[in-house]
């Protein structure tokens, strides 16, 4: 226990609390000296005033970082002191609770944090999903409903960002034969800054919540309770994690590839990671900026989006979606990369059209930058903008189609095996297909006039998120769990997880689309019983519980398999990828001997071929 | 080759079945506006293509899983096929063409939805937290119900007094946001007599779910009768003095969302016993509430904010409440002891 309390994590959290109080106290003191209001209790003042809380929140984040000691080496360098080039992690579980420079430890830290947030965000969804099971308000009031719904959105988004960061961090250096990321300290920093960001986001629940959804559109967000500011600050800080993580990843892929690993000989997942990182590195600033502007509007009375002061609320939407649309591809490209990575292994065939699949990731990333205003067809923006955005949006279908056709062609004529990871890959493919196919009706302007802001959209994007992220993410966890732990996850529990989650997901999202078409608006705490949706919502709620149960089964699986799972230290899946050519779990600095790339990554079925050769 | 034929046949079969199945489900609410026709037409066309693409991926996928599954005891890998450039070009170019066709159709379709009738009747819509107000400038009347004559195009000019709202009647299909600080427009031609519901479809705060208004589409004759009735009622109200019953009506329409009359606390303070009660403002001043104070708090909410509440985010003028209306409301408040 004592050991746990003195970990970086616990020190950081203690520092965050103290830092927040100190920062808030400082502003309060200044306000007191200026003769301003310093204390109160209403929806924007919870004890401390709003400016005090915001400044306190910021100081809290910096204190957290200081408290975890993730800044120590940099501070020493600044003071002209020497540090070790490498740090050895303490043995056992302690290393996961403090700053480590090992990309595998950081990858696991990211992944576990992501799973925790997934559970929290899922819990929020279950709560309001239960409320929706029947019309009328049963146990939530509308404000709490709005807060839970908004938090569900943003917590899941952060969970996804951390999840992909986890998988990329863990896999990319191994796949390209690097001992670590290019900037290990920056890597640790990127993870640890996400923790106080998550704390900030969740703290909004205690500070009045916010009722704007994760989109935070002003003017509503300019009048929302104090929780809004914690949300803005949390997203702003989480953005740093994304940007710096992406920078590091790109530098790693550019600089640290093994000998002979030319661009088109990289594992396909690395391509997806690169495409994703390009987006994160260049677009994340915009969401931080747009939220910061509303923050300043609230704090300093700046009228960016306030029509009474000559501001324009629609500009916010442009800034916001300029990140938040490409962000969708940040979420799904790594997942699609996992699908492309695992299909050849389990079909025992080369990835069909490797170069096309690789280029399609870049294509999606590129076109993804040009489509943001399709979220705004009804917004009242200049009307002539709608048609060009319809064209660009529909274009996304082309590179996405290339992926689907190539996947199917990969399976065709294979010798297909379907252990749990492959089942999740296939479900991801099917669910993402549903998400993709429900896209074009939202892209053509006139049909979107009906569909916008309905449950159709909710169903559509839950399919893309589940198909593009959740299923592939779980596929990756089942697939690489032996690499990280030397144990295999239980297949039987894996099947339970799979069938519950897949059936729950299909019922839930298809039903969402159905009621949306019939007139169910999104983001409403209650609906008119005259619409006749009560039964549909009951079914959706049951489906949501099935999904929750499936995740619970996964956690049980992880727990029991870690304790007494089947040992798996070899090439469990008979893969050609370099990380499987050495025993599991992977040692601290990855490969003892360097390897050279001597062939194509996916030449399954070509006798005598090899992808990598270890130097003697 | 035989496999390809089997798959091609199954693709067509599944595509047709999916499309017919979706249509049999009844996917859309009834069509009650001229604008709904092109929209439903395009959606149906898209469904056809979607059904086909669904089958095109799912059928070979499932077929492969059955036909190319590794048999027990079998070893070795699949065929070593790395790709096929011609196929790849094909499934890049053909979708590209389809996409461009749909983008063109989409633009053309949007044009049809937006077709303007210069004779269209104007209705001014004001959205506010949390309700709707309709003004008919041509007739000098206003209403909380949206009465529309059938088969005549209506041009809605929409404004919001506070946050973004969105105007949507599912049976009319088209949707348009109301943005504070600007006027947005949408044109709708109701095509079927009946009662519908206007719903705010952009999250706008606490009572967003309940921000609805009744929509009544009637024949021209009935519409004219309704207009005459509203005009007469407005004239009568102007002639008589303040009236508590009319005040209560207005309370229910405009103020109930935030003010209770039973003493419970809402977004704003309760009105029970307001008159003659001691009021404490945020700046600390206290006094006894009288009629003048009540009128001032409605007309200039920012000038005096009750302690413990945010400033009232409600603009009586913008939603069209006249001095006579406010007098009615005050009359109603007087009855709340
Ligand atoms: Cu609204």
């Amino acid at each position: 226990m004592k050991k746990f309390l003195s970990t970086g994590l616990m020190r950081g959290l203690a520092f965050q609390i103290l830092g927040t109080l100190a920062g808030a106290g400082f502003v309060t003191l200044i306000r007191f000296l200026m003769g301003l209001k310093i204390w109160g209790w209403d929806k924007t003042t919870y004890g401390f005033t709003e400016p005090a809380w915001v400044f306190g929140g910021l100081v809290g984040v910096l204190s957290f970082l200081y408290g975890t000691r993730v800044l120590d080496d940099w501070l020493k360098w600044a003071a002209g002191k020497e540090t070790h080039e490498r740090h050895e992690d303490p043995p056992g579980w302690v290393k996961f609770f403090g700053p480590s420079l090992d990309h595998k430890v950081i990858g696991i830290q990211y992944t576990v944090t992501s799973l925790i947030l997934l559970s929290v965000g899922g819990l929020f969804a279950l709560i309001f999903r239960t409320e929706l099971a029947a019309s009328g308000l049963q146990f939530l009031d509308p404000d709490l409903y709005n807060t839970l719904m908004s938090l569900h959105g943003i917590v899941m988004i952060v969970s996804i960002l951390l999840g992909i960061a986890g998988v990329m961090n863990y896999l990319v250096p191994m796949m390209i034969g690097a001992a670590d990321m290019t900037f290990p300290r920056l890597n640790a920093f990127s993870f640890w800054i996400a923790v106080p960001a998550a704390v900030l986001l969740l703290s909004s629940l205690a500070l009045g919540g916010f009722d704007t959804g994760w989109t935070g559109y002003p003017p509503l967000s300019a009048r929302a309770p104090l929780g809004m500011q914690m949300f803005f600050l949390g997203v702003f800080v989480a953005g740093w994690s994304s940007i710096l993580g992406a920078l590091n990843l790109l530098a790693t892929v550019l600089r640290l590839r093994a000998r002979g690993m030319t661009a088109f000989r990289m594992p396909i997942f690395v391509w997806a990671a690169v495409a994703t990182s390009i987006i994160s590195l260049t677009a994340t600033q915009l969401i931080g900026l747009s939220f910061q502007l509303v923050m300043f509007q609230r704090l300093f009375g700046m009228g960016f989006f306030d029509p009474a002061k000559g501001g324009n609320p629609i500009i916010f939407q442009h800034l916001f979606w300029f990140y938040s649309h490409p962000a969708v591809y940040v979420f799904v490209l790594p997942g699609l990369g996992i699908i492309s990575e695992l299909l050849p292994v389990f079909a025992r065939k080369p990835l069909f059209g490797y170069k096309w699949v690789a280029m399609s990731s870049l294509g999606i990333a590129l076109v993804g930058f040009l489509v943001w205003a399709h979220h705004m067809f009804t917004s009242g923006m200049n009307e002539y903008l709608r048609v060009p955005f319809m064209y660009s949006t529909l274009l996304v279908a082309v590179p996405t189609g290339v992926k689907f056709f190539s996947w199917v062609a990969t399976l065709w004529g294979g010798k297909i095996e379907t252990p749990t990871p492959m089942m999740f890959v296939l479900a991801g493919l099917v669910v993402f297909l549903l998400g993709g196919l429900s896209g074009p009706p939202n892209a053509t302007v006139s049909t979107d006039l009906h569909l916008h802001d309905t449950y159709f959209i909710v169903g559509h994007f839950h399919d893309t998120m589940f198909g593009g992220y959740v299923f592939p993410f779980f596929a990756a966890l089942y697939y690489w769990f032996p690499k990280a732990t030397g144990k295999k996850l239980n297949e039987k529990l894996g099947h339970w997880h799979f069938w519950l989650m897949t059936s729950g997901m299909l019922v839930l999202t298809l039903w969402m689309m159905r009621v949306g078409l019939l007139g169910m608006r999104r983001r409403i705490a209650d609906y008119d019983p005259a619409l006749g949706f009560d039964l549909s919502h009951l079914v959706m709620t049951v489906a949501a519980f099935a999904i929750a149960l499936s995740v619970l089964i996964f956690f049980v699986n992880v727990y029991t398999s870690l304790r007494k799972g089947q040992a798996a230290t070899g090439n469990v899946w008979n893969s050609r990828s370099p990380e499987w050519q050495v025993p599991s779990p992977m040692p601290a600095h990855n490969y003892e001997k360097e390897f050279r790339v001597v062939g194509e990554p996916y030449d399954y079925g070509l006798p005598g071929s090899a992808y990598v050769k270890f130097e003697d | 080759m035989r496999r390809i034929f089997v798959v091609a046949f199954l693709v067509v079969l599944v595509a047709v079945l999916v499309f017919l199945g979706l249509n049999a489900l009844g996917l859309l609410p009834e069509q009650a506006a001229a604008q709904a026709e092109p929209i439903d037409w395009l959606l149906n066309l898209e469904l056809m293509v979607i059904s086909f693409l669904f089958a095109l991926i799912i059928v070979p996928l499932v077929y492969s899983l059955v036909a190319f599954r590794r048999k027990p005891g079998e070893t070795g890998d699949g065929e070593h096929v790395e790709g096929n450039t011609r196929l790849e070009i094909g499934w890049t170019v053909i979708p590209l063409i389809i996409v461009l066709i749909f983008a063109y159709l989409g633009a053309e379709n949007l044009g049809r939805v937006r077709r303007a009738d210069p004779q269209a009747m104007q209705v001014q819509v004001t959205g506010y937290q949390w309700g709707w107000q309709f003004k008919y400038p041509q007739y000098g009347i206003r209403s909380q119900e949206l009465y529309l004559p059938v088969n005549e195009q209506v041009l809605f000019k929409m404004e919001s007094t506070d946050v973004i709202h969105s105007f949507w009647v599912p049976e009319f299909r088209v949707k348009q946001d109301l943005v504070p600080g600007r006027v947005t427009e949408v044109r709708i031609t109701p095509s079927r007599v009946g009662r519908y519901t206007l719903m705010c479809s952009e999250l706008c705060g606490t009572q967003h779910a309940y921000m609805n208004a009744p929509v009544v589409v009637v024949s021209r004759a009935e519409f004219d009768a309704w207009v005459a009735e509203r005009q007469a009622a407005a004239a009568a109200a102007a002639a008589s003095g303040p009236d508590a019953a009319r005040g209560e009506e207005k309370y229910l329409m405009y103020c109930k969302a935030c003010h209770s009359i039973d003493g419970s606390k809402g977004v704003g303070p309760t009105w029970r016993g307001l008159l003659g009660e001691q009021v404490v403002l945020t700046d600390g001043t206290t006094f006894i509430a009288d009629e003048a104070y009540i009128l001032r708090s409605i007309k200039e909410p920012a000038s005096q904010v009750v302690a413990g509440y945010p400033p009232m985010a409600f603009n009586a003028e913008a939603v069209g409440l006249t001095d006579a209306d406010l007098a009615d409301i005050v009359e109603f408040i007087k009855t709340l002891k």
Side-chain angles (χ1 to χ4, degrees), chain A residues 41-43 136-137 142-143 146 149-150 211-213 215 217-220 223 307 312-314 317 347-354 356-357 377-383 386-387 390-391 394-395 397-398 401-402 404-406 408-409 411-418 422 426 429-430 433-434 437-442 444-454 514 516-528 531 574 600 602-606, chain B residues 3-4 7 25-29 38-40 42-43 46 49-51 53-58 60-61 63-65 67-71 74-85 87-89 91-93 95-96 99-100 102-110 113-114 129 161-164 166 168-182 184-185 197 199-212 308-310 313-314:
Chain A
W41 199 266
D42 62 49
K43 70 174 198 161
L137 281 175
D143 282 325
N146 286 342
M149 176 273 293
S150 309
D211 56 2
T212 62
T215 46
Y217 280 11
L220 189 60
R223 333 168 149 217
N312 179 347
I314 291 180
Q317 300 178 22
R348 311 307 303 165
K349 264 190 71 204
L351 177 63
F352 195 91
Y354 170 100
W356 291 80
V357 175
F377 285 155
T378 71
S379 70
M381 67 172 178
N382 286 331
E383 299 225 0
R386 300 198 286 193
V387 171
M390 168 170 63
Y391 271 86
L394 284 166
L395 280 183
V398 177
V402 169
F404 274 110
F405 293 124
S406 305
V408 171
L411 287 173
W412 188 265
K415 290 237 184 304
I416 303 170
E417 298 161 6
T418 51
M422 179 61 163
L426 292 170
L429 202 161
V430 172
L433 178 68
L434 293 176
L437 290 178
S438 53
N442 309 321
T444 46
V445 181
S446 56
T447 44
D448 184 59
L449 297 183
H450 180 60
L451 301 173
H452 183 68
D453 272 333
T454 65
R514 168 153 178 74
L517 279 165
L518 287 174
M520 175 78 196
R521 298 169 287 158
R522 68 189 282 200
R523 294 176 162 176
I524 51 177
D526 189 9
Y527 47 95
D528 187 352
L531 290 165
N574 195 9
E600 304 290 330
Y602 303 107
D603 268 345
Y604 294 99
L606 186 66
Chain B
R3 289 187 191 282
I4 303 274
V7 168
L25 268 180
L27 288 181
L28 288 164
I39 291 179
D40 292 3
L42 183 60
L43 195 63
E46 288 177 346
V49 177
I50 288 172
S51 308
L53 291 176
F54 176 78
L56 190 63
I57 301 291
I58 290 293
L61 179 87
Y63 186 88
S64 303
L65 285 181
F68 304 118
R69 170 179 287 277
R70 182 185 291 272
K71 318 267 170 328
E74 202 178 15
T75 54
D77 292 341
E79 288 171 72
H80 181 260
V81 186
E82 291 197 350
N84 180 327
T85 308
L87 260 183
E88 297 278 0
I89 292 177
W91 62 48
T92 306
V93 173
L96 182 66
V99 153
L100 290 177
F102 265 94
Y104 173 78
L105 283 178
E108 196 264 348
N109 201 263
L110 181 63
V113 171
R114 283 171 29 84
Q129 282 176 321
T161 62
D162 38 46
V163 302
I164 300 173
S166 191
W168 187 44
V169 180
E171 289 81 0
F172 296 168
R173 305 288 189 273
V174 289
K175 186 178 287 127
Q176 176 61 53
D177 288 4
L178 288 69
V179 184
R182 64 170 68 192
T184 53
E185 289 182 2
T197 307
M199 321 173 177
C200 174
S201 56
E202 178 70 46
L203 178 56
C204 60
T206 314
Q207 302 289 344
H208 166 59
Y210 303 109
M211 186 171 158
N212 300 335
Y309 293 92
F314 179 81

Side-chain angles (χ1 to χ4, degrees), chain A residues 418-428 471 491 494-495 498-499 502:
Chain A
T418 51
T420 312
M422 179 61 163
M423 292 167 76
F424 275 91
V425 163
L426 292 170
F471 280 103
E491 282 283 307
H495 285 193
F498 171 83
W499 287 112
T502 308

Side-chain angles (χ1 to χ4, degrees), chain B residues 245-268:
Chain B
R246 279 204 309 269
E248 178 167 15
E249 254 173 56
K250 272 154 209 155
Y251 161 76
L252 293 175
M253 288 174 191
Y254 297 97
C255 326
K256 189 170 176 275
C258 302
H259 295 285
S260 80
I261 52 173
D262 61 1
S264 59
K265 199 179 150 178
V267 179

Side-chain angles (χ1 to χ4, degrees), chain B residues 25-240:
Chain B
L25 268 180
L27 288 181
L28 288 164
E30 91 179 277
Q31 233 183 42
Q35 286 71 16
E37 278 165 40
I39 291 179
D40 292 3
W41 176 83
L42 183 60
L43 195 63
N44 195 49
L45 190 68
E46 288 177 346
L47 273 185
M48 235 181 259
V49 177
I50 288 172
S51 308
F52 174 70
L53 291 176
F54 176 78
L56 190 63
I57 301 291
I58 290 293
V59 169
L61 179 87
V62 174
Y63 186 88
S64 303
L65 285 181
V66 176
F68 304 118
R69 170 179 287 277
R70 182 185 291 272
K71 318 267 170 328
E74 202 178 15
T75 54
D77 292 341
E79 288 171 72
H80 181 260
V81 186
E82 291 197 350
N84 180 327
T85 308
R86 256 196 266 162
L87 260 183
E88 297 278 0
I89 292 177
W91 62 48
T92 306
V93 173
I94 296 174
L96 182 66
I97 294 172
I98 298 180
V99 153
L100 290 177
I101 292 175
F102 265 94
Y104 173 78
L105 283 178
E108 196 264 348
N109 201 263
L110 181 63
R112 277 198 272 162
V113 171
R114 283 171 29 84
R115 190 165 294 155
D117 174 358
Q119 242 82 68
M121 173 174 86
Q122 225 192 73
V123 175
Q124 288 171 357
V125 180
T126 309
Y128 57 92
Q129 282 176 321
W130 289 276
W132 300 92
Q133 157 83 35
F134 311 103
K135 283 190 226 155
Y136 296 74
Q138 219 169 312
Y139 304 106
I141 55 172
R142 63 200 160 79
S143 164
Q144 300 286 120
E145 275 180 316
L146 182 57
Y147 260 77
L148 299 172
V150 72
N151 291 333
E152 290 181 37
Q153 192 176 76
V154 184
L155 167 59
F156 294 94
K157 296 223 170 218
M158 313 203 282
E159 277 177 288
S160 161
T161 62
D162 38 46
V163 302
I164 300 173
H165 302 281
S166 191
F167 179 101
W168 187 44
V169 180
E171 289 81 0
F172 296 168
R173 305 288 189 273
V174 289
K175 186 178 287 127
Q176 176 61 53
D177 288 4
L178 288 69
V179 184
R182 64 170 68 192
V183 180
T184 53
E185 289 182 2
V186 65
R187 288 172 184 272
I188 292 169
T189 316
S191 60
R192 183 181 295 219
V193 169
R195 298 188 70 91
Y196 310 99
T197 307
L198 163 62
M199 321 173 177
C200 174
S201 56
E202 178 70 46
L203 178 56
C204 60
T206 314
Q207 302 289 344
H208 166 59
Y210 303 109
M211 186 171 158
N212 300 335
V215 179
V216 188
V217 178
V218 293
S219 68
R220 183 75 219 184
E222 279 172 88
F223 180 76
D224 286 337
W226 176 78
V227 168
E229 186 193 311
R230 297 293 302 184
Q231 284 169 332
S240 72

